[in-house]
Amino acid sequence: MLAPSPKALAQLVISQRKKLKLSQAAVGALVGLKQQTVSDFERNPDTTQLNTLFRILSAIKLDLNALPKDEQPKPKSTWQAEW
């Protein structure tokens, strides 16, 4: 998923955290952060330090990939059948 803004990235993090059924406190505990720090990122990602972001991403099993804007990722096709 593309995250063109800090807010979009925070929404992706929230979605993944909930998918994994983890509370903010559980995410923080996995990487040595306070629940409030995770909450602060989710509410106001613009002020989060990069180190904190990478720790949160690690806890929820996400990697960050950077691509040039003109190199959009190719959609993965799962269609196998022929007509």
Side-chain angles (χ1 to χ4, degrees):
M1 175 180 178
L2 292 176
S5 69
K7 194 64 175 171
L9 181 57
Q11 288 301 315
L12 176 62
V13 166
I14 292 167
S15 176
Q16 176 72 0
R17 177 176 62 76
K18 289 181 177 181
K19 179 180 173 183
L20 296 174
K21 298 180 180 171
L22 294 171
S23 66
Q24 292 174 340
V27 168
L30 287 170
V31 290
L33 296 172
K34 295 179 183 177
Q35 176 274 330
Q36 186 62 49
T37 303
V38 178
S39 175
D40 289 345
F41 167 73
E42 291 183 357
R43 285 185 294 105
N44 188 16
D46 293 329
T47 61
T48 300
Q49 293 182 9
L50 280 177
N51 183 47
T52 301
L53 170 61
F54 280 101
R55 288 166 71 181
I56 292 170
L57 292 175
S58 174
I60 60 171
K61 301 178 181 173
L62 286 180
D63 284 326
L64 183 65
N65 294 316
L67 297 173
K69 286 189 177 251
D70 60 347
E71 292 182 22
Q72 297 296 321
K74 306 255 189 266
K76 295 179 182 176
S77 176
T78 58
W79 183 256
Q80 301 295 324
E82 293 185 30
W83 289 95

